[in-house]
Amino acid sequence: MKKGTPSLLLLLFSVVCWAQNKPQDYRPQYHYTAPKNWVNDPNGMVYLDGEYHLFYQYNPFGNVWGHMSWAHAVSKDLKNWETLPVALPEFDNPDGTQTMIFSGCAVIDSMNTSRFFEKGFKKGMVAIFTSHIEGKAQHQSIAYSADKGRTWKRYDKNPVLDLGMKDFRDPNVIWYPQKQVWIMTVVKPLEYIAQFYESKDLKKWTLLSEFGKQGDMTKIWECPSLTKVPVAGSKETKWVLMISSGHRQKNYLAMQYFVGDFDGKTFTSQKQNEILYVDEGKDFYAAIPFNNLPKSQTKPIIIGWVNDWEYAREIPTGDTWRGGFSVARELSLKKTADGLRLVQLPVSSFKNGQKEAFSVKNKTIEGNYTVPFKGEVFDLTVEIQPQQAKTVTFNVFQSKDEATVIRYDVAAQELSLDRTHSGQVNFHPRFSSVERVKVPLKDGKLKIRLLADKSILELYAQDGESVMTDWVFPTQHEGGISLTSEGGKAKLNSLTIHTLH
Ligand code: FRU
């Protein structure tokens, strides 16, 4: 063999691999991604005049984290997004340092409490964000827009809240009508503390109380939010405090939530010794609720960043874009024997415009059943009764050598999402993983809804009582789906697949 041959072979092999795994094959179709560059947390989510605004952490100059600025997208239906120019860019300070625009929120100051707008103007938008000076400071600042978030002015007396700390961030502000004040939730990440402040004008903030040092403290606390959530089947509402932090599985990231009461000053958690997670997958972080939703929308709506800091920088989506966002999810609370639990489902408008591509009912599954549908972009609902089966396994994104495996283990009452053989997993030692969550059957049934979108999977079990969101990077793109029962027969009550446009 000639000397140059091995490297030539290697080159050929790389070219074949590259041709099979085109980064654009991973671009989700109905999950929002930026046209190019790095993204992380959703920011400033707010509704105004028929438009939902999604601002987000963005690097205008590349697909790695840096130069953090607020990019901007708008949607009329929470499904189709239009990308607008960067809203709040990083800026230079007189001393030669830069201020990055870190995470935060936006509110509609319809009573012009800030006096930023003309008298009587009801559509003023105010952004409240962390002004970050690398290695030096984090404080909270504000900016305002009188043209629906298209152009912004920074307040000339920023910052509005400064504790002289290097880690103090991610303000989330809501209107609290009982006291006619704005309430800000913000975190001291390294101390596992959320603080609550109040303000009459968004400029002067007074500390009300602190909450923390409990729940998941395996990772720093980021991106808090305090939201009123309706309890299903009652007229009641409860307050939910969501905080991005650690995952059930060590060293990954996730979001935890506390259910409790807020009296305008203090948040009290109902239970202290339990840790509740919003999403049991590896790729759901930094979600915050929309502000100023129409009155008819009684359930809060959140969107999360699909990624995990653990490997976010390495996901194999190529040179153009990196990171994405979940679909918009509605929140409610459900009474269970263990207490109130968060329930999440894609917003109902998400069903609009879908086309039924396949449906089957009342089928006995013995061994393997290949679903006569192939695809990588769909919304699938399945209801199954395991009956005599010990496990029921759903393979999606399946080809000869690859599959993402969703399995229900009847004895353990456990639903798992296994991406260890899903395709590209070796780009980071921590990516290959199995997510597990306890999901009891209901009247002997398991109901699953799976949103599949090229490289993002959102798995909702038992009508949204458990959710898992994960990236997967199949290389064959055959999109096979199969169902297998092991240990006995299972009954497939129904399986419906819709495609989206
Ligand atoms: C969370 C986070 C926030 C911060 C932002 C910076 O992912 O670390 O705490 O504001 O990202 O991009």
Side-chain angles (χ1 to χ4, degrees), residues 40-41 57 65 68 102-103 130 169-170 222-223 285-286 305 309:
N40 57 287
D41 316 356
Q57 290 288 282
W65 186 90
M68 296 323 286
F102 268 23
S103 287
T130 297
R169 60 180 178 269
D170 305 340
E222 299 184 307
C223 303
Y285 195 70
W305 176 42
W309 278 116

Side-chain angles (χ1 to χ4, degrees), residues 70-124:
W70 277 27
H72 191 192
V74 287
S75 171
K76 290 194 162 51
D77 57 4
L78 286 170
K79 231 172 110 179
N80 297 291
W81 294 92
E82 182 194 346
T83 306
L84 298 180
V86 167
L88 290 166
E90 174 194 47
F91 61 90
D92 293 327
N93 302 314
D95 67 358
T97 59
Q98 281 79 39
T99 297
M100 293 196 217
I101 317 294
F102 268 23
S103 287
C105 63
V107 297
I108 303 305
D109 187 12
S110 57
M111 290 186 288
N112 197 13
T113 61
S114 61
R115 301 280 178 268
F116 281 143
F117 309 101
E118 275 175 28
K119 204 161 170 248
F121 186 64
K122 289 186 166 28
K123 297 177 182 176

Side-chain angles (χ1 to χ4, degrees), residues 249 280-281 368 378 380 382 391-409 414-423 425 431-437 446 448 450 452 457-459 468-474 479-486:
Q249 294 177 35
E280 302 278 348
N368 186 66
F378 55 81
L380 175 154
V382 61
T391 62
V392 177
T393 305
F394 227 114
N395 281 356
V396 295
F397 287 4
Q398 188 176 24
S399 58
K400 196 167 130 286
D401 309 311
E402 296 173 354
T404 298
V405 182
I406 297 161
R407 176 168 293 138
Y408 189 72
D409 180 323
E414 186 185 79
L415 181 68
S416 56
L417 174 62
D418 178 343
R419 62 178 176 188
T420 55
H421 295 93
S422 57
V425 294
F431 182 76
S432 181
S433 70
V434 185
E435 333 305 352
R436 298 170 198 282
V437 57
L446 172 71
I448 276 179
L450 178 69
L457 294 177
E458 294 190 42
L459 178 64
M468 297 189 244
T469 304
D470 264 4
W471 284 116
V472 287
F473 301 102
I481 303 178
S482 69
L483 191 54
T484 312
S485 78
E486 275 164 323

Side-chain angles (χ1 to χ4, degrees), residues 53 86 89 99 110 126 154 158 195 254 261 291 321:
H53 294 261
V86 167
T99 297
S110 57
V126 180
R154 277 182 272 110
N158 277 335
Q195 292 190 314
D261 296 299
N291 265 325
W321 62 283

